Amino acid sequence: MNSTPSSGDIQMAFPQNRDGLPIVSLDQAHSPQKVLAHGELLRRFVAGEEIKPVHMRIGIMGACNMRCNFCNFHSPNEEQFYDLFSFKDSIATDKAVTLLREFAENEGRAVTFCGSGECTIHPGYTDICRAGHAAGLRIGLITNGSRLGRPKVASCVAETHTWVRIGLNAGTEATFDDITRDREQTFSKFIGSVGKLRESAVDPDFRIGFNYVITLQNYREIMDAARIAHESGAHYVRFEPEFYSAMGHETIESVMPEIAESLTRAAELSTDAFEVSVPKLDRGPMDQVEEVEGDFEHCHYSRFVTAVGADGNLYPCPQVHLNSRYLIGNVVEQSYSEVLDGGPRAEWEASNPRRTDLCKSCFYRPQNELLELLKRGQIKLDEALDAYALEVPSTLHGDFV
């Protein structure tokens, strides 16, 4: 950002690592400042007017064809948190299509398929995506990658998706198979399928890349994974540390110096055509703790983004979906607009305690702190918008706030 006072405050809200760890470097598709691309919405937000989410994160399946050993939804570390998770949950194709059309009719702009399961194994995945795309929504996908080589899925992704993020999570096939319990030779297909999708995608802003969850089992393969991602033809590789709501990043704290060194070396592979994303490495626990991280009282981010679980329920954000404390209302049994505007969301927000009582830390802390500073007037909106427009003339995937 510029050297204006507003820019300095904005940078304060950017994720930072403690001394001794690498500088956070996020690829442009995952910038936490993308909310500044929505000037009209921000003006309404700062003025205290009602706004509707423009981005929906949705999981249409609870089931998955892999069983990653770090998966939150199957971990004994999260049994108390994700109390509504069930691998049997699934949103029927016609219901999902109706929901996406309703979302588009209510100022929705973008949908990310993610969630507790693997969305591409849903029998209606391609039909749901094509219907959402036809309704004017931009489509993103977080996936384990096992179905991307299948012609029906590949053509749907190429013709309707704006981006795809694949779980890499290892630098060798043996470790990948051990971590994921994969039985479909998924790892060996990454180099072929990723480049083909990049070449065949219709959306000029299409991006495809990898996500790597760093664990005690795979942290020595960070460099191998970065090289594989680069050779595959991906746009980026995005690293993130293993996280549990009641533990934070505690599981890998003992090897953090080695992880930091590997990430610093991996970052050197970055080019104009390939980005290496270095994450915040020292985020604290969110649940069952007293210490509160972040200078904001309420979750403002959930005004711009919402989440739907495979159980059909609306939640404030994907970090807390499938937790009964955050359940707002069922958008499959009722309609999306009825839950959003007809009372359930307002009732939940009125009864919900301050975010400092529920979410002690927050994955979307940079966005929330920025929104809080704008709301307080500590950052002047017009100055912030001008500074952002000068620094980022065109926001990549701006609707995926």
Side-chain angles (χ1 to χ4, degrees):
M1 283 295 179
N2 294 2
S3 58
T4 65
S6 294
S7 300
D9 286 332
I10 292 170
Q11 285 301 320
M12 287 172 58
F14 196 81
Q16 299 178 17
N17 281 322
R18 65 178 185 263
D19 290 343
L21 295 180
I23 296 173
V24 175
S25 175
L26 303 179
D27 61 278
Q28 58 178 319
H30 297 98
S31 169
Q33 298 175 2
K34 287 195 293 186
V35 68
L36 290 170
H38 298 271
E40 180 186 349
L41 275 179
L42 285 173
R43 293 186 195 285
R44 289 160 55 189
F45 165 75
V46 170
E49 298 176 10
E50 188 62 35
I51 61 174
K52 296 181 179 181
V54 296
H55 180 196
M56 175 185 287
R57 300 278 296 267
I58 182 170
I60 53 176
M61 287 286 289
C64 184
N65 58 336
M66 293 187 187
R67 191 55 55 88
C68 300
N69 57 19
F70 58 79
C71 178
N72 291 44
F73 300 102
H74 296 281
S75 170
N77 296 313
E78 298 287 22
E79 287 177 348
Q80 295 182 0
F81 193 80
Y82 296 106
D83 59 321
L84 296 181
F85 166 73
S86 172
F87 68 90
K88 296 180 180 179
D89 282 338
S90 177
I91 301 177
T93 299
D94 60 335
K95 298 288 187 181
V97 168
T98 297
L99 174 59
L100 294 196
R101 287 172 176 165
E102 285 185 317
F103 178 62
E105 292 167 358
N106 283 272
E107 302 180 27
R109 303 177 189 175
V111 171
T112 295
F113 288 94
C114 53
S116 54
E118 172 55 41
C119 290
T120 61
I121 68 172
H122 190 293
Y125 180 73
T126 58
D127 293 333
I128 294 167
C129 289
R130 291 189 183 280
H133 184 262
L137 297 172
R138 305 193 83 181
I139 307 295
L141 169 64
I142 298 174
T143 176
N144 61 31
S146 61
R147 294 293 190 266
L148 293 179
R150 299 193 175 190
K152 185 176 181 181
V153 174
S155 62
C156 175
V157 169
E159 294 165 12
T160 66
H161 286 42
T162 296
W163 60 266
V164 177
R165 192 167 83 218
I166 306 164
L168 182 54
N169 305 319
T172 64
E173 187 165 16
T175 302
F176 181 88
D177 292 346
D178 192 32
I179 286 175
T180 64
R181 312 293 195 272
D182 178 49
R183 298 179 179 179
E184 301 183 42
Q185 293 77 52
T186 300
F187 187 88
S188 63
K189 299 172 185 173
F190 283 151
I191 288 183
S193 61
V194 169
K196 289 179 182 178
L197 282 172
R198 181 171 182 168
E199 293 172 0
S200 61
V202 173
D203 192 326
D205 289 334
F206 182 79
R207 295 291 185 276
I208 185 166
F210 291 103
N211 191 75
Y212 191 103
V213 177
I214 306 167
T215 72
L216 282 175
Q217 188 175 358
N218 67 16
Y219 75 94
R220 290 192 175 95
E221 298 183 4
I222 287 174
M223 276 302 300
D224 293 325
R227 293 190 188 100
I228 288 170
H230 184 262
E231 293 170 6
S232 75
H235 289 90
Y236 64 87
V237 60
R238 175 180 184 260
F239 293 95
E240 64 174 325
E242 185 175 33
F243 179 82
Y244 294 111
S245 62
M247 300 174 67
H249 301 140
E250 183 180 323
T251 61
I252 56 172
E253 182 61 35
S254 63
V255 294
M256 200 66 85
E258 295 172 72
I259 290 172
E261 181 182 357
S262 294
L263 288 173
T264 299
R265 289 169 51 215
E268 296 174 358
L269 295 177
S270 293
T271 66
D272 291 340
F274 178 72
E275 295 179 284
V276 177
S277 176
V278 177
K280 181 175 173 60
L281 289 165
D282 57 352
R283 179 172 158 233
M286 184 181 70
D287 196 42
Q288 302 176 38
V289 292
E290 296 302 321
E291 185 177 354
V292 176
E293 292 185 7
D295 184 17
F296 62 101
E297 290 291 326
H298 297 276
C299 178
H300 306 298
Y301 184 66
S302 60
R303 303 280 301 279
F304 296 80
V305 179
T306 194
V308 176
D311 58 355
N313 285 309
L314 190 75
Y315 298 88
C317 89
Q319 181 181 3
V320 298
H321 87 302
L322 301 179
N323 182 310
S324 56
R325 291 181 296 170
Y326 298 87
L327 190 154
I328 295 175
N330 196 292
V331 293
V332 174
E333 295 175 357
Q334 301 171 269
S335 68
Y336 173 75
S337 59
E338 185 178 351
V339 172
L340 195 71
D341 300 327
R345 187 184 186 210
E347 291 174 8
W348 184 86
E349 293 191 354
S351 63
N352 182 44
R354 296 183 307 170
R355 113 42 226 189
T356 50
D357 295 324
L358 278 180
C359 302
K360 299 299 192 299
S361 69
C362 175
F363 189 80
Y364 305 101
R365 171 180 173 177
Q367 292 92 326
N368 270 313
E369 288 190 333
L370 175 57
L371 290 167
E372 181 93 1
L373 291 169
L374 290 168
K375 191 79 169 178
R376 293 177 189 166
Q378 188 172 337
I379 293 179
K380 301 301 181 185
L381 179 57
D382 286 337
E383 293 178 11
L385 293 176
D386 289 345
Y388 180 79
L390 186 62
E391 180 75 15
V392 188
S394 178
T395 299
L396 181 65
H397 303 171
D399 290 334
F400 298 90
V401 182

